[in-house]
Amino acid sequence: MKTGLSYKDAGVDIDAGDALVERIKPMAKKTLREGVLAGIGGFGALFEVPKRYREPVLVSGTDGVGTKLKLAFEVNKHDTVGQDLVAMSVNDILVQGAEPLFFLDYFACGRLDVETAAAVVGGIARGCELSGCALIGGETAEMPGMYPAGEYDLAGFAVGAVEKSQILTGQSIRPGDIVLGLASSGPHSNGYSLVRKIVERSGVNLQADAGTVLGADYQGRPFGHVLLEPTRIYVKPLLAALQALPGAIKGMAHITGGGLTENVPRVLPESVMAVIEAKAWARPAVFQWLQQEGGVAEAEMHRTFNCGIGMVLVVAPDQVQAVIGLLSAAGEQVSQIGQIQTRQDTQPATLVQ
């Protein structure tokens, strides 16, 4: 007589899933904000758009962490990729002027390790706190045979709101406007297939002291941890700037996959171009190392990596100092990196020189 099988025999541990939910609940509770009616645990999360909005327009975004996860697996560090997950979506919806309201995550693995998953969700909760949005729900999928042992994948979904009259479209951008750049924390979550290729070619030990690879400023940290530095979240300082200086910021671009050359054009009218001076900011050592070790051409650097600029703003000339002062006081490192000019048909929408 054959022995009866259970779901656990097939590789799915429901008890582990239940244990993870209990671990997640206090993390999610820390992110609660106005509008949350029902969160973790239900079939669907309930959220009421705050009544202070007169004509709310919902703005949504979704993204993952990409092959940066492979580095996390290699160095066995899982507490920061959750912030990356949140950042990639909330920074995207921010550029249209939206305030992130809530976030949902999807965590998929072959076999659920509660400690690893809890570390990941802890990072997600941290990202939600930094951006002021609620971790309102999600899904954990244990799928035997779909992923190698010890590996997982992530997807995130953010929903925000903006007043209809305050949506940032970039259509008011004119020649003479100034381009500002906000410093990144590193490569963020883009270009990691190339990063990993360069690491492989260089033969560098990811556990080596980063000071021996990148210089004294990085001393005391494993090189792999430097490469895993989580994506900076720009939400709170920029929402405050939009509110304090209405009309000053005409457009914003989140510098993700495609770098400066591919992302800045997304917010520009067809009649103008952004001329960016690459020497206007100090390129962080991690990008210098990547370029040198990989023999990466300058143009390739700017269309693959953020090269030290994680968010670009286009600002009215008479508001530049006010915007820089406000954002600097909020802890952002701001550089004036270029100007908007009239574009001819044969010219690129963004020129990095």
Side-chain angles (χ1 to χ4, degrees):
M1 181 178 178
K2 293 182 178 180
T3 304
L5 294 174
S6 68
Y7 211 6
K8 190 171 184 178
D9 293 325
V12 179
D13 190 341
I14 295 175
D15 292 334
D18 292 342
L20 178 60
V21 170
E22 292 305 310
R23 291 280 292 274
I24 290 171
K25 284 181 178 179
M27 300 176 190
K29 188 175 182 179
K30 289 183 179 179
T31 72
L32 291 180
R33 52 158 294 158
E34 61 170 333
V36 177
L37 301 181
I40 299 291
F43 285 97
L46 303 178
F47 192 96
E48 181 179 38
V49 177
K51 291 181 172 59
R52 54 188 164 82
Y53 285 97
R54 299 183 302 276
E55 292 183 288
V57 174
L58 296 181
V59 185
S60 60
T62 182
D63 212 331
V65 181
T67 58
K68 188 174 186 177
L69 290 177
K70 298 291 283 187
L71 283 177
F73 305 151
E74 192 167 345
V75 302
N76 194 28
K77 181 174 172 59
H78 307 281
D79 59 346
T80 57
V81 292
Q83 180 175 324
D84 286 302
L85 184 68
V86 175
M88 296 305 289
S89 289
V90 297
N91 284 341
D92 271 1
I93 66 174
L94 169 67
V95 303
Q96 291 172 290
E99 170 196 9
L101 298 176
F102 60 86
F103 188 85
L104 299 97
D105 68 284
Y106 175 78
F107 178 99
C109 59
R111 178 181 176 276
L112 181 60
D113 181 280
V114 174
E115 292 301 319
T116 297
V120 172
V121 176
I124 294 172
R126 173 63 176 158
C128 287
E129 288 184 75
L130 289 171
S131 56
C133 69
L135 177 56
I136 200 172
E139 171 69 10
T140 301
E142 190 174 19
M143 299 182 286
M146 285 289 289
Y147 298 92
E151 297 194 3
Y152 53 84
D153 199 9
L154 297 173
F157 312 86
V159 174
V162 60
E163 289 287 0
K164 191 173 183 178
S165 62
Q166 296 173 11
I167 297 172
L168 286 182
T169 65
Q171 291 305 304
S172 65
I173 294 173
R174 299 288 182 269
D177 288 339
I178 303 300
V179 181
L180 301 180
L182 275 59
S184 68
S185 57
H188 284 183
S189 298
N190 300 105
Y192 273 84
S193 294
L194 180 55
V195 169
R196 291 170 48 243
K197 191 72 174 178
I198 294 170
V199 167
E200 180 184 346
R201 174 187 286 188
S202 72
V204 68
N205 184 344
L206 291 173
Q207 298 299 335
D209 190 313
T212 64
V213 182
L214 301 175
D217 289 346
Y218 295 85
Q219 195 166 359
R221 300 177 62 195
F223 182 55
H225 289 201
V226 172
L227 293 179
L228 286 172
E229 185 70 27
T231 305
R232 189 167 181 82
I233 292 176
Y234 301 97
V235 171
K236 290 183 179 180
L238 284 176
L239 286 179
L242 290 171
Q243 184 174 12
L245 301 167
I249 299 174
K250 296 184 174 186
M252 297 192 288
H254 183 202
I255 309 307
T256 56
L260 287 164
T261 53
E262 299 293 330
N263 284 291
V264 176
R266 298 168 69 181
V267 300
L268 300 178
E270 291 186 3
S271 59
V272 302
M273 64 186 294
V275 178
I276 295 174
E277 300 293 335
K279 294 182 180 179
W281 73 95
R283 184 176 295 182
V286 64
F287 295 105
Q288 296 178 28
W289 183 88
L290 288 167
Q291 183 171 25
Q292 181 177 340
E293 290 294 326
V296 184
E298 186 71 4
E300 186 72 9
M301 288 294 294
H302 286 295
R303 73 173 188 174
T304 303
F305 301 115
N306 65 59
C307 292
I309 299 295
M311 183 73 75
V312 163
L313 317 180
V314 180
V315 179
D318 61 344
Q319 295 290 327
V320 168
Q321 292 310 313
V323 171
I324 291 176
L326 196 155
L327 292 175
S328 297
E332 297 298 329
Q333 184 178 335
V334 190
S335 301
Q336 185 169 323
I337 64 172
Q339 189 178 50
I340 301 299
Q341 298 182 9
T342 301
R343 180 190 179 197
Q344 305 301 323
D345 290 341
T346 59
Q347 291 178 306
T350 295
L351 176 64
V352 182
Q353 60 185 18

